[in-house]
Amino acid sequence: MNKKPKIVILGAGYGGMMTASRLQKANAYQDADITLVNKHNYHYQTTWLHEPAAGTLHHDRTRMKIDKVIDTNKIQFIKDSVAEIKKDEKKVILEKGELDYDYLVIGLGSEPETFGIPGVKEHAFSIRSVNSVRLIREHIEYMFANYNKQEEKHDDLLTFVVAGAGFTGIEFVGELSERIPELCEEYDIAREKVKLYSVEAAPTALPGFDEELVEYAMNLLESRGVEFKINTPIKEVQDGAVLLADGEEIKSQTIVWTTGVRGNPVIEKSGFEAMRGRVKVEKDLRAPGYDDVFIIGDCALIINEEINRPYPPTAQIAIQQAYTCANNLKALLAGKTDMEEFKPDIKGTVASLGGKEAIGKVGDRKLYGNSASAVKKIIDNRYLFLLGGMPLVLKKGKLNIF
């Protein structure tokens, strides 16, 4: 009797979870032994993390237990961290053991990109996990609570610097600018005492986004007290200060780093040829030279040939990659050699600005304010529906659309 081939999926982010879900729905577990590996026993919505970081959403709303979404009788789940992939031996080295595979799916996500700027890892917070955003929220609240305890007022306690004005940075600034008045009232602090900076090295906030929408976002956030420093690179992050390239120093006890990501360090450690931890995959999402390894999500580099630049590593693309990856795995299990090519279908992009405000572009249509915010929630709920059906939407979704 022939043994079933082994499929190992590394990472339970958008790509890994959706790949596992699609394989389960296709009954692929009947033809293969499928294992999902993740360092936590839960999956979380990365695109929601800016909200619990600011304290406008409880962190538990962003996460769901893996065994509540995936049937672990059909797909084995192992809670462990990946140390290295020995691709020539077809083995995955975990912190607590090892796995061999016939087909491997790498969806290990990313880590913050520091661009070599000194002090970032030591002195800045990052929005990257449930634990990291819980720490940010608690730290911000502690700064407010501590301010009035000081006989000599230290303004750096109430100065908040967000490095990076891309999607994550702008969404976090939007949520925090909504939360600050509540915190001021709770801790009896005048709103004008609080400073909130958005610092961006590029010539514009939300680089690459529609100019009219960017202008709307910046005007709205400035009306809430956000001060933008655009075209202003950060030279160094120190304990209690940010040094800008123009020589200015901003004293702050809260520096949040949102300047982009690079692929998981396991990629480079395992000997894959990569750029910023991302592998330029083949059109069928396989690693060059390794027909048994698929790479999806933040670890995969896909070039937009129209502009000859990489597609940004978004949840939308990771979910679409999971569909292609699952289809190709099913084809391989059926003995087929023709693989489906991955073609991104960017349906639109929406950025929340806190409260019921957002901006977005869906097709050729520009969205502002409440309508954009409603579309953002619909997109979030759609993902939950694709992953776990209506029960998951009802349990974790944002049902108050308007």
Side-chain angles (χ1 to χ4, degrees), residues 37-57:
V37 180
N38 195 59
K39 63 182 177 181
H40 303 297
N41 65 351
Y42 56 84
H43 162 69
Y44 59 87
Q45 295 264 58
T46 309
T47 57
W48 291 11
L49 289 180
H50 59 282
E51 296 176 67
T56 56
L57 182 76

Side-chain angles (χ1 to χ4, degrees), residues 252-295:
S252 169
Q253 294 297 323
T254 312
I255 299 139
V256 181
W257 200 260
T258 71
T259 64
V261 297
R262 59 183 291 116
N264 192 293
V266 168
I267 291 290
E268 291 174 325
K269 183 179 179 181
S270 302
F272 289 99
E273 185 177 337
M275 291 175 278
R276 290 175 59 188
R278 303 173 69 193
V279 177
K280 186 177 179 181
V281 293
E282 304 288 0
K283 291 184 177 181
D284 59 12
L285 299 177
R286 289 191 281 193
Y290 293 91
D291 288 346
D292 52 359
V293 178
F294 292 86
I295 303 180

Side-chain angles (χ1 to χ4, degrees), residues 15 26 35 39 76 89 119 131 154 164 175 199 247 255 299 314 349 374:
T35 300
K39 63 182 177 181
Q76 182 188 14
E89 300 174 32
N131 289 330
H154 295 283
E175 293 296 325
V199 184
I255 299 139
C299 295
T314 63
T349 308

